[in-house]
């Protein structure tokens, strides 16, 4: 609930009173479980980042050709985004205004480096076009993933797997080597 309220009102614009009202409890009830609004932000951002890093430890992300591992990470990231939409939305909106946000941004950069490394490895393997910059390719791939927070509505019938399938088709047909489309 805190992530949802932070997304609606902005972290700085949200008070503990706002959170208590949204939860239908008193502020003291919240303070019984957490020490501060900052702790709630930290927990939310960690939840999102932990889930993304968990994807990078899955078997599909650690075995096989780099391009297939990259696709697995991309699909898994869509899954995380859909399952943890309020937390990932919050993660993608932080700007580094607090120490908690700076830590989250550092973790995002670490994730970005893992993705760029997969792109570089795919290029070296000959499975990804050699005429693309790995850092730019990874940013564009995950820019597509991250844009989902702006339009995805879970109650509109389109599941996360369908979104991942479409995104993977568009993305990977564009960067794989092989016959060029007509």
């Amino acid at each position: 609930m805190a992530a949802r309220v932070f997304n609606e009102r902005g972290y700085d614009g949200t008070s503990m009173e706002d959170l208590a009202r949204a939860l239908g409890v008193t502020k003291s009830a919240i303070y019984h479980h957490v020490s501060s609004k900052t702790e709630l932000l930290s927990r939310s951002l960690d939840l999102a980042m932990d889930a993304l890093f968990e994807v990078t430890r899955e078997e599909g992300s650690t075995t096989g050709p780099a391009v297939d591992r990259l696709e697995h990470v991309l699909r898994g990231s869509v899954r995380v985004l859909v399952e943890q939409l309020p937390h990932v939305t919050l993660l993608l909106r932080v700007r580094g205004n607090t120490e908690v946000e700076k830590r989250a941004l550092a973790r995002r950069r670490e994730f970005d480096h893992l993705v760029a490394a997969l792109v570089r490895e795919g290029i070296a393997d000959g499975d990804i076009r050699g005429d693309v910059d790995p850092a730019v390719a990874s940013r564009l791939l995950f820019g597509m993933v991250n844009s989902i927070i702006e339009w995805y509505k879970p109650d509109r019938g389109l599941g996360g797997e369908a979104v991942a399938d479409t995104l993977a088709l568009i993305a990977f047909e564009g960067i794989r080597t092989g016959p060029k489309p007509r």
Side-chain angles (χ1 to χ4, degrees):
M1 181 57 73
R4 284 188 179 99
V5 176
F6 291 156
N7 285 326
E8 290 168 7
R9 300 179 61 91
Y11 174 73
D12 291 330
T14 302
S15 68
M16 289 300 271
E17 182 64 38
D18 295 326
L19 295 172
R21 195 175 314 112
L23 288 166
V25 300
T26 63
K27 287 193 300 187
S28 61
I30 296 173
Y31 283 118
H32 179 73
H33 298 283
V34 296
S35 62
S36 66
K37 182 173 84 163
T38 301
E39 182 181 345
L40 290 169
L41 176 66
S42 180
R43 285 185 182 194
S44 180
L45 297 175
D46 285 345
L47 192 153
M49 285 308 310
D50 291 349
L52 289 169
F53 275 105
E54 184 59 35
V55 168
T56 68
R57 292 186 287 275
E58 294 172 355
E59 183 178 349
S61 300
T62 60
T63 59
V67 70
D68 293 341
R69 290 183 278 141
L70 178 62
E71 184 172 344
H72 184 86
V73 170
L74 182 130
R75 288 173 174 276
S77 296
V78 172
R79 182 182 72 241
V80 166
L81 187 146
V82 168
E83 291 171 359
Q84 304 295 338
L85 188 59
H87 303 287
V88 175
T89 300
L90 187 59
L91 171 67
L92 294 175
R93 291 185 175 158
V94 298
R95 298 292 174 243
N97 296 330
T98 66
E99 287 306 313
V100 168
E101 291 180 8
K102 288 176 186 171
R103 191 179 80 239
L105 290 176
R107 290 186 76 195
R108 278 181 56 189
R109 281 190 298 278
E110 182 182 349
F111 185 83
D112 292 345
H113 292 303
L114 289 170
V115 172
L118 285 173
V119 174
R120 279 192 299 280
E121 190 177 337
I123 291 169
D125 293 345
D127 293 326
I128 295 177
R129 297 168 53 143
D131 60 347
V132 297
D133 178 270
V136 172
S138 64
R139 284 187 189 103
L140 289 172
L141 286 172
F142 279 83
M144 286 192 295
V145 172
N146 296 344
S147 74
I148 294 169
I149 68 165
E150 301 301 332
W151 57 265
Y152 181 74
K153 303 288 185 237
D155 58 348
R156 299 243 173 105
L158 185 62
E161 191 169 327
V163 173
D165 288 345
T166 301
L167 196 148
L169 177 66
I170 291 168
F172 289 96
E173 290 305 313
I175 66 170
R176 285 187 190 268
T177 57
K180 294 189 183 207
R182 295 177 209 228

